[in-house]
Amino acid sequence: MAPMKRTRVGVDNNSGELRKRPRTSSNSASVPSDAEEDESNHRGEQADAATMETGPNDEAPEAESGNEDDDTQRATQIIQLRNTRTMDNMPADNGILESVTCINFMCHSRLHVAFGPLINFIIGHNGSGKSAVLTAVTLCLGGKATSTNRGQSLKSFIKEGQESATLSVKVKNQGHTAYQQELYGDSIVVERSFSRAGASNFRLKSASGRTISTKKADLEEICDFFALQLDNPMNVLTQDMARQFLSNSTAAEKYKFFVKGVQLEQLDQDYQLLEETIDQIESKIITRAEDIKVLEDRASRAAARLALSDKQDSMRTRIRSYTRQMAWAQVEEQEKELDVRNESLQKADARIGEATAKAGTVDQKFEEANHAWERAQEASKQVIDSKAPLELSRSQVKERFDKNKEDLLAVQTDHRSIRGHLTAIIERIEKANIEIEQENTRLEEANGGSHARRVRALEEAREQAAKVKDEFDQHRQALPQMEGDLRAAQAEARHFDNPIGSKKNEIRQCEDAGRSLLRNQGQHIGAFHERMPMLLRAIQEEARFQEKPVGPVGNHVRLLKPDWSSILERAFGATLNSFIVTSVKDQTVLSDLMRRVNCPCPILIGNHQSIDTSKFEPDPALDTTMRVLEIDNDLVKHQLIINQSIEQTVLIRDWAEATRFMYDGAKPQHVKQCFCLHKDRRGWGMRLGFGRGVEASSSPMPPNTGRPRMKTDTESQINIQRDNQRHLEGELRELEQRFADARGRVRRCEDDIATHRKRLDDLRQQTQRAQDEVEKQQDELEQETVQDGRLEALTSGLKEAEEEKTILEGSYQEAIISKQKLNETASQLHAELKTFDDELKEISAKARKAEAKVLKLLEARHIALQEKNLAVQRIADAEHDKQREHQERQTQADRVTEFIEEATKICARVPVDPGESTEGLDKKLTKLHENLKRFERQIGATRETIAREAAQTRSAFQTAQSQVRDLESLSQLLKFALFERQERWRKFRRFISARARAQFTYLLSERSFRGSLKTDHNRRQLDLHVEPDETKSGRGRQTKTLSGGEKSFSTICLLLSLWEAMGSPIRCLDEFDVFMDNVNRDVSMRMMITAARRSPGRQYILITPNSMGNIDIAGDVRIIKLNDPERGQTTLLFGQ
């Protein structure tokens, strides 16, 4: 049967209002209707009958007694009519039991019983655990342990030797009246587990085994929905309860048992509660009626007082008018102040615009000064770097010049000495020739012409000797030219010494950089000052900072394209080592820390004012310094924008493309400078920019020799260094090849000189042979000469003189040649020294000039930077002033809004009278308020207080009246409902009693018994009389005098009679025939099966220790036989 929700009605003693308390009834009953001929007992009819539940009242007993015979006769007719009809016993769609499972329960280790949908007989020997099935059903579906009469607590049902037990009952849940079928499915599985420790829990599962709920309240709702009244003693009746009901109970106890079984007792309690509620309401109405008189009197006095106060409405009207004007006059004053703030904010915007424009101009000047200083610094470095190789070369030439000078002085001394001796010997030879010629003339005259021939041969030999000597002299004179070529080739070879050394130095630097990158992977801070970690720790530990400095700048910058690392490191310079603070105080603190840890770094001052560069950046397709950097701090980004113009510095790898971009056509928009790679020197860069106006300017950028300070991909940096190293090694090989070519030319010149010297030696030998021929002719001439001492002496002296002359001439010629060579060498070395001195002097002058220019430009840059920082600070100050003005303006706007809101609370905006001010209105209001207060003192309160009091008293009076009316209406409704329900309840009780009497008489007749069921509702007594056919006495016998079989049969008849008035879909009876003989048992069994078949949709579970051999079993009857279990206990410990 469908459950019914009822509401208990009570009265709140404090307010007198009604309150509702929801309560769920798990019991219901069905009222037999006049049209109940087919006795279908459908749940729809049961629900209709449940709506007739009323509170009992034992009034009008005479009416029930007067109709008792008619009711009994009418019920008897209905029973006879129903018994003559044949009906199909159809199973219910839901609310019946499908199976029960017991684990470690009572005597069963594991027991599973599958029930039929209609009639079930559970049979088995005594001790087989038949009663445990009904006990398990009762406990699993929420019944109490005491209601089973089998134990006092759950742990007494656990099998001996086990610690816990589990029960499971499957309830059918089909048809259109199923309970939440979309959630549970076609079956609802109820599982209950409990242990000896006292733990107990429920689980509600769906047909698929999924746990839906663990709350007992949900189980109670399901039992209410299906009307499973397991705690009802009439629904699950044990043999002990039946024996006590029939044999050992008084008429009053039988009646109490009867009304509890058919659920009349629950309705009785509900209606008694309703009567108590009505009494409380009546009492509350009386109390409230007295309070209403007091409230009405208060309301009348307050209304009279309000009428007296309303006579001063004209004064209040003027006060209200002035109050409104006063409120909006204050608003107008605040709005005027807001206009002043708006003007100040506009002026602040104008100041920011002026400061920004000036900052742009100053920034341009700083960029020009910075680029000029960088160019001058680079030029100075190049000049100074070029001086060292020249000084080295000059020192080498100077050593050679000094040595050549010493050699020349020695040669000059020898030359003067030889020249003096040669002059003297020539004079002696001339004198000897004259004397010989005179002597030969004298002798020729004496000897004839032979002597003349000898003289001619001698002359020819002398001419040949002179010819050979001239060739020797010419060949010897060509030697200095060849030696000059050698010296030129040697000078060219020496020219490669410095470039090769520089290139090797660059390669070593590149190798060192690569090794440093490999060695310091993951140690980025090592690229900065060696004491940088100490400085960073000191900064973190310092508490005097208003805001922690940010730095070093390079630690907050990540380079996304590593191939620009060297150029950008060189361009940023010391900026990457700098720290950024936001105040002068923090700058001072940071300077102290740097001096303390001996780690000097530049310090920049910035602020958190945002800089929007989106409108001043070049084409998005171009790479800029800012676009290839990832900066994790806004202060760092702002300083790089201000000091380095990273947003307007374009990066183009190819020099030619960069040149075309910068200088072909109009000046690129939003571009200050462009960095590109050097077209000739690997690792170098070029800066392309503009001087004043649109004048093009460019300067080289040497590679960065230190470790990269910006974060970047170390692997890419290593690969770039390796590429640079390979390129530099290629350039070194080219220089070495050119040096080898120059050395080859030197060797060729040396070979040519050696060949020339060899030829010179040959010519010297020819000269010597020619001279020997001259001497031979001279000797032959002397042999033919007449022997004369004088001529021989003259000739001998001449010969000695000529030999000495020849020797002296050779020495003199060699001295001349040596002198010429030394002079030429000295001139060349002197020229080289002069060239070096001129170059060094020029370089020194250039260096001094460049250094002076660097210092001058550095000072100009410093001034420009100060002006730029000052301009940026002016912008920050102007923006700070604007922010302050904006805050003041916003504060004033909020104040205006607040004043308007407050004024609006008073009234809508009204115009202020011309000439009125807040002071004047305040004076007028003060005077009027004084007059009004004087009047109010006379009447004792203000008008608002009086009006509020009048409204409150009137409202309290009306509320009290309304509450009393509501209570009276509710009382009448409850009385009417109680009366109607009591009438229905009496009819309900009468019909149940009549049906039970007729059914009891009819069932007794099945055994040829006679008897009657006597109910006295006035005295609340129920008694029955049974007359077996053997006695045939007129009065019948009491149940105490019946035999065991007669008692059991009478119990069955009474139980079947009362079951007709119950709405539960399940009927359970335990060992109903234990005391019956075979005759009574057969009659009772057939009678119960017949009664069950006449109750469609009801499920019967009947337990008997006897066999069913004498009963004809049909398809709607299921017999379940239990085997004897293995028992670990023979006696239940009821005392536990």
Side-chain angles (χ1 to χ4, degrees):
M1 180 177 181
M4 184 194 71
K5 298 291 184 179
R6 294 194 298 275
T7 302
R8 290 184 177 180
V9 181
V11 178
D12 191 336
N13 293 327
N14 295 325
S15 63
E17 297 178 353
L18 297 179
R19 54 186 173 83
K20 295 185 177 182
R21 296 177 293 173
R23 178 180 178 274
T24 301
S25 174
S26 61
N27 303 315
S28 61
S30 62
V31 179
S33 64
D34 294 340
E36 191 183 9
E37 296 179 358
D38 57 356
E39 193 65 12
S40 63
N41 292 327
H42 191 269
R43 284 188 178 81
E45 297 176 3
Q46 297 167 6
D48 293 339
T51 61
M52 297 174 61
E53 293 182 4
T54 60
N57 193 330
D58 292 332
E59 297 177 359
E62 297 81 1
E64 289 191 17
S65 299
N67 297 329
E68 183 174 336
D69 295 336
D70 295 339
D71 293 339
T72 303
Q73 182 179 0
R74 187 165 177 267
T76 302
Q77 294 174 354
I78 294 173
I79 291 172
Q80 291 176 350
L81 178 62
R82 185 188 64 182
N83 292 338
T84 59
R85 298 176 58 185
T86 302
M87 297 185 301
D88 294 331
N89 192 10
M90 301 298 293
D93 291 334
N94 48 60
I96 61 176
L97 306 182
E98 293 182 338
S99 66
V100 61
T101 302
C102 306
I103 299 175
N104 297 330
F105 182 73
M106 295 180 70
C107 61
H108 299 288
S109 297
R110 181 176 183 84
L111 173 66
H112 179 77
V113 177
F115 296 117
L118 295 171
I119 304 172
N120 297 272
F121 284 97
I122 301 176
I123 64 176
H125 298 135
N126 289 331
S128 62
K130 301 184 296 301
S131 299
V133 176
L134 292 185
T135 303
V137 171
T138 302
L139 294 178
C140 188
L141 294 181
K144 298 179 181 179
T146 55
S147 66
T148 64
N149 291 327
R150 309 287 292 184
Q152 297 299 320
S153 63
L154 290 175
K155 60 184 179 181
S156 62
F157 294 99
I158 300 174
K159 185 178 180 181
E160 184 69 23
Q162 302 296 328
E163 293 299 323
S164 63
T166 302
L167 304 176
S168 177
V169 173
K170 182 184 288 187
V171 181
K172 189 176 182 181
N173 189 43
Q174 301 177 10
H176 66 280
T177 58
Y179 178 79
Q180 298 183 10
Q181 191 176 21
E182 70 282 355
L183 183 63
Y184 289 95
D186 292 339
S187 298
I188 300 175
V189 179
V190 182
E191 184 179 292
R192 185 175 189 180
S193 301
F194 47 90
S195 65
R196 293 189 183 276
S200 175
N201 60 80
F202 290 91
R203 286 189 181 88
L204 302 180
K205 297 182 179 180
S206 64
S208 60
R210 182 169 63 94
T211 300
I212 305 300
S213 175
T214 58
K215 298 179 181 179
K216 186 177 181 182
D218 294 335
L219 174 60
E220 292 175 351
E221 184 175 352
I222 292 173
C223 292
D224 284 348
F225 185 85
F226 292 128
L228 300 177
Q229 305 165 10
L230 299 176
D231 284 337
N232 189 344
M234 297 293 293
N235 198 38
V236 179
L237 188 65
T238 64
Q239 182 183 6
D240 294 338
M241 186 66 69
R243 184 184 302 110
Q244 179 182 358
F245 174 64
L246 293 175
S247 303
N248 302 326
S249 60
T250 63
E253 291 174 347
K254 289 185 178 66
Y255 185 86
K256 184 177 180 181
F257 191 85
F258 162 71
V259 296
K260 183 176 181 181
V262 296
Q263 301 300 298
L264 291 175
E265 184 180 37
Q266 181 64 49
L267 294 177
D268 185 9
Q269 296 174 359
D270 291 343
Y271 296 155
Q272 288 178 4
L273 178 62
L274 183 58
E275 289 177 345
E276 294 174 0
T277 300
I278 293 173
D279 293 339
Q280 292 176 3
I281 292 175
E282 293 290 343
S283 176
K284 199 70 175 177
I285 290 173
I286 296 172
T287 303
R288 298 296 287 178
E290 297 176 357
D291 295 339
I292 287 176
K293 294 180 180 180
V294 177
L295 293 175
E296 184 178 8
D297 183 59
R298 290 178 182 175
S300 299
R301 290 197 304 270
R305 192 178 181 191
L306 179 61
L308 179 61
S309 177
D310 288 340
K311 293 180 180 180
Q312 297 297 324
D313 279 345
S314 60
M315 186 184 301
R316 293 192 183 93
T317 301
R318 291 174 62 193
I319 290 175
R320 284 193 295 271
S321 176
Y322 287 150
T323 301
R324 294 169 181 172
Q325 292 188 44
M326 181 68 176
W328 290 105
Q330 292 176 355
V331 171
E332 290 181 356
E333 288 182 355
Q334 296 301 323
E335 288 176 342
K336 290 178 181 178
E337 182 64 25
L338 180 60
D339 293 338
V340 174
R341 295 299 178 189
N342 288 332
E343 293 178 1
S344 299
L345 189 59
Q346 293 175 357
K347 292 179 181 178
D349 287 333
R351 288 195 297 271
I352 291 175
E354 294 174 359
T356 303
K358 188 173 181 180
T361 304
V362 173
D363 180 64
Q364 181 66 28
K365 291 181 180 179
F366 169 74
E367 290 297 328
E368 294 174 358
N370 184 59
H371 295 323
W373 171 71
E374 289 178 351
R375 290 194 299 270
Q377 193 177 30
E378 185 61 32
S380 176
K381 184 177 182 301
Q382 291 178 356
V383 170
I384 294 172
D385 291 342
S386 65
K387 187 176 180 180
L390 287 177
E391 290 178 343
L392 177 63
S393 300
R394 183 189 180 284
S395 64
Q396 295 174 352
V397 172
K398 184 67 170 62
E399 291 177 358
R400 291 165 54 202
F401 178 78
D402 292 340
K403 185 176 183 304
N404 185 79
K405 185 177 180 181
E406 293 175 358
D407 294 343
L408 182 61
L409 289 175
V411 169
Q412 285 177 349
T413 302
D414 293 340
H415 180 265
R416 283 192 298 270
S417 176
I418 292 171
R419 186 174 57 187
H421 289 296
L422 185 60
T423 300
I425 201 67
I426 289 173
E427 292 176 353
R428 199 176 83 182
I429 290 173
E430 289 177 353
K431 183 179 179 181
N433 283 330
I434 292 172
E435 291 177 351
I436 291 173
E437 184 177 358
Q438 292 174 355
E439 184 66 23
N440 284 330
T441 300
R442 186 183 63 79
L443 291 176
E444 184 65 33
E445 292 176 352
N447 292 333
S450 175
H451 183 72
R453 290 193 299 272
R454 294 290 184 187
V455 170
R456 286 195 296 271
L458 177 61
E459 291 297 332
E460 290 176 357
R462 287 178 175 172
E463 290 177 359
Q464 181 63 29
K467 181 178 179 181
V468 173
K469 186 174 182 301
D470 289 339
E471 184 179 359
F472 172 75
D473 292 339
Q474 291 176 0
H475 203 73
R476 186 171 56 184
Q477 291 175 356
L479 184 61
Q481 179 64 34
M482 297 180 69
E483 290 177 344
D485 294 341
L486 174 61
R487 288 191 295 273
Q490 290 174 340
E492 182 181 2
R494 285 195 302 273
H495 177 70
F496 288 100
D497 290 342
N498 189 43
I500 289 176
S502 299
K503 193 63 66 177
K504 289 182 178 179
N505 186 38
E506 291 180 10
I507 292 174
R508 282 195 299 274
Q509 291 177 352
C510 192
E511 290 175 346
D512 293 341
R515 285 193 294 271
S516 177
L517 288 172
L518 287 171
R519 184 172 57 254
N520 297 300
Q521 283 184 342
Q523 301 177 0
H524 177 254
I525 201 67
F528 298 94
H529 195 281
E530 59 183 2
R531 293 182 175 270
M532 183 62 70
M534 297 175 60
L535 177 59
L536 292 177
R537 286 195 298 271
I539 290 174
Q540 292 299 321
E541 295 171 356
E542 183 59 54
R544 292 178 294 167
F545 287 115
Q546 294 177 350
E547 183 177 346
K548 291 291 184 183
V550 176
V553 168
N555 199 35
H556 296 275
V557 179
R558 176 174 294 278
L559 180 61
L560 303 179
K561 294 188 177 182
D563 48 350
W564 292 102
S565 175
S566 179
I567 294 176
L568 294 183
E569 290 276 351
R570 173 68 66 174
F572 289 157
T575 302
L576 294 177
N577 298 329
S578 62
F579 283 77
I580 303 173
V581 297
T582 57
S583 65
V584 177
K585 180 180 177 182
D586 288 347
Q587 182 185 22
T588 304
V589 175
L590 183 57
S591 298
D592 293 341
L593 291 181
M594 289 180 179
R595 285 194 296 271
R596 187 190 309 165
V597 301
N598 193 20
C599 181
C601 295
I603 301 176
L604 306 176
I605 299 178
N607 56 55
H608 292 284
Q609 187 69 32
S610 62
I611 299 177
D612 184 8
T613 62
S614 58
K615 298 181 180 178
F616 305 100
E617 295 185 27
D619 190 337
L622 298 171
D623 277 344
T624 64
T625 303
M626 188 166 70
R627 292 170 184 167
V628 300
L629 298 180
E630 183 180 284
I631 305 172
D632 61 8
N633 187 280
D634 289 340
L635 284 175
V636 173
K637 183 176 181 181
H638 296 167
Q639 288 300 316
L640 292 179
I641 291 173
I642 294 172
N643 295 324
Q644 301 294 333
S645 301
I646 60 174
E647 83 284 6
Q648 295 182 348
T649 300
V650 177
L651 305 178
I652 300 176
R653 295 180 58 85
D654 185 66
W655 175 84
E657 182 181 353
T659 304
R660 287 194 300 270
F661 171 76
M662 292 294 291
Y663 304 131
D664 289 356
K667 179 181 178 182
Q669 189 177 11
H670 304 314
V671 176
K672 287 188 176 181
Q673 59 185 352
C674 175
F675 292 155
C676 63
L677 303 182
H678 200 285
K679 61 179 179 179
D680 297 325
R681 306 185 69 174
R682 183 75 173 188
W684 286 55
M686 291 289 294
R687 177 194 171 276
L688 307 179
F690 299 93
R692 296 187 178 275
V694 293
E695 180 183 355
S697 66
S698 63
S699 59
M701 302 178 68
N704 179 46
T705 57
R707 288 176 56 190
R709 292 163 293 175
M710 294 184 291
K711 298 178 181 178
T712 184
D713 184 5
T714 305
E715 189 67 29
S716 300
Q717 285 286 343
I718 293 172
N719 293 334
I720 291 173
Q721 291 295 335
R722 289 174 177 170
D723 292 342
N724 290 338
Q725 180 179 345
R726 286 193 292 269
H727 186 80
L728 291 172
E729 289 173 348
E731 292 180 349
L732 177 61
R733 286 193 296 271
E734 182 180 353
L735 288 174
E736 289 176 342
Q737 181 62 41
R738 292 172 60 187
F739 176 70
D741 294 342
R743 294 291 300 172
R745 286 192 293 273
V746 170
R747 286 193 296 272
R748 286 194 297 272
C749 289
E750 289 176 346
D751 292 342
D752 292 343
I753 290 174
T755 303
H756 191 82
R757 289 183 184 278
K758 184 177 180 182
R759 176 62 179 166
L760 188 63
D761 291 340
D762 292 342
L763 290 175
R764 184 180 289 109
Q765 292 176 4
Q766 291 179 11
T767 302
Q768 186 64 38
R769 286 193 296 271
Q771 188 66 33
D772 291 343
E773 182 64 24
V774 170
E775 291 177 355
K776 177 182 177 183
Q777 292 298 328
Q778 184 71 31
D779 291 340
E780 290 178 354
L781 180 60
E782 290 177 353
Q783 290 178 359
E784 291 181 356
T785 302
V786 178
Q787 296 294 323
D788 191 343
R790 177 177 173 76
L791 181 60
E792 182 179 358
L794 291 174
T795 303
S796 177
L798 178 64
K799 183 178 180 181
E800 291 176 356
E802 287 178 348
E803 288 178 355
E804 186 177 357
K805 177 186 175 184
T806 300
I807 293 172
L808 290 174
E809 285 179 347
S811 298
Y812 184 74
Q813 191 65 35
E814 288 179 356
I816 292 174
I817 293 172
S818 298
K819 183 179 179 181
Q820 288 177 351
K821 289 173 63 177
L822 291 173
N823 283 330
E824 290 175 358
T825 302
S827 298
Q828 183 178 1
L829 292 176
H830 185 269
E832 290 183 7
L833 283 176
K834 188 176 184 303
T835 301
F836 282 127
D837 290 338
D838 292 341
E839 290 180 357
L840 288 173
K841 184 177 180 181
E842 182 180 359
I843 289 174
S844 297
K846 287 182 179 179
R848 289 191 298 273
K849 185 177 179 180
E851 185 65 25
K853 185 177 180 181
V854 168
L855 294 176
K856 182 179 179 181
L857 291 176
L858 180 60
E859 181 65 23
R861 179 186 180 277
H862 181 67
I863 294 172
L865 180 59
Q866 288 180 340
E867 292 178 353
K868 179 178 179 179
N869 290 336
L870 184 59
V872 172
Q873 188 61 39
R874 287 196 191 99
I875 294 175
D877 293 342
E879 290 177 345
H880 182 268
D881 293 340
K882 178 186 175 181
Q883 185 178 4
R884 178 175 51 79
E885 291 289 346
H886 184 270
Q887 290 177 350
E888 292 179 356
R889 187 263 177 202
Q890 187 61 40
T891 302
Q892 184 61 30
D894 294 340
R895 187 179 294 112
V896 170
T897 303
E898 181 181 356
F899 271 67
I900 291 175
E901 289 177 353
E902 294 297 327
T904 305
K905 292 178 181 179
I906 298 174
C907 66
R909 185 152 192 162
V910 297
V912 181
D913 293 340
E916 291 289 356
S917 63
T918 54
E919 292 80 3
L921 291 171
D922 185 60
K923 291 179 181 179
K924 292 179 179 180
L925 281 172
T926 301
K927 184 176 180 180
L928 289 173
H929 278 301
E930 290 176 353
N931 294 335
L932 184 60
K933 286 180 180 178
R934 190 181 305 111
F935 173 75
E936 289 174 348
R937 283 195 296 271
Q938 294 175 359
I939 64 174
T942 64
R943 199 272 178 188
E944 289 76 10
T945 304
I946 295 171
R948 185 168 55 254
E949 182 180 353
Q952 290 175 351
T953 54
R954 184 171 60 254
S955 175
F957 170 66
Q958 292 175 350
T959 301
Q961 281 186 323
S962 177
Q963 290 178 351
V964 170
R965 285 194 297 268
D966 292 342
L967 288 174
E968 290 174 347
S969 176
L970 177 61
S971 177
Q972 294 300 322
L973 290 175
L974 291 178
K975 289 178 181 179
F976 178 76
L978 180 61
F979 177 77
E980 290 293 329
R981 288 177 178 267
Q982 287 174 343
E983 287 296 322
R984 293 184 183 182
W985 185 86
R986 283 191 289 269
K987 292 180 181 179
F988 189 20
R989 184 180 61 182
R990 192 181 76 194
F991 294 151
I992 292 175
S993 300
R995 179 67 65 87
R997 289 193 302 271
Q999 186 70 14
F1000 183 70
T1001 302
Y1002 172 76
L1003 293 176
L1004 287 177
S1005 66
E1006 293 289 329
R1007 182 70 174 79
S1008 298
F1009 283 17
R1010 290 182 298 173
S1012 62
L1013 188 64
K1014 302 294 183 180
T1015 56
D1016 188 346
H1017 298 300
N1018 189 26
R1019 291 187 295 175
R1020 296 182 179 273
Q1021 292 182 354
L1022 182 144
D1023 197 7
L1024 56 91
H1025 297 272
V1026 178
E1027 183 181 354
D1029 58 343
E1030 291 86 355
T1031 60
K1032 302 293 182 179
S1033 64
R1035 295 178 56 191
R1037 294 159 55 189
Q1038 293 289 337
T1039 56
K1040 294 181 180 180
T1041 63
L1042 297 177
S1043 65
E1046 293 171 345
K1047 287 181 182 179
S1048 297
F1049 179 73
S1050 301
T1051 301
I1052 296 302
C1053 293
L1054 178 60
L1055 183 61
L1056 292 177
S1057 300
L1058 296 179
W1059 274 354
E1060 292 296 326
M1062 295 175 59
S1064 177
I1066 301 174
R1067 284 93 165 88
C1068 302
L1069 190 57
D1070 185 9
E1071 295 190 359
F1072 59 91
D1073 57 350
V1074 66
F1075 297 112
M1076 291 184 183
D1077 54 19
N1078 289 333
V1079 177
N1080 288 322
R1081 181 176 179 276
D1082 293 340
V1083 173
S1084 298
M1085 192 71 70
R1086 285 193 297 271
M1087 182 174 61
M1088 293 182 67
I1089 294 175
T1090 301
R1093 288 171 177 166
R1094 292 172 180 170
S1095 301
R1098 300 294 189 268
Q1099 184 182 38
Y1100 287 79
I1101 301 175
L1102 307 174
I1103 298 176
T1104 176
N1106 300 311
S1107 64
M1108 302 294 294
N1110 299 329
I1111 304 300
D1112 295 333
I1113 304 302
D1116 56 353
V1117 177
R1118 175 175 294 185
I1119 298 176
I1120 303 167
K1121 184 176 182 179
L1122 300 185
N1123 297 323
D1124 294 340
E1126 296 180 1
R1127 292 179 175 271
Q1129 65 186 35
T1130 57
T1131 305
L1132 289 176
L1133 304 178
F1134 294 108
Q1136 293 182 357

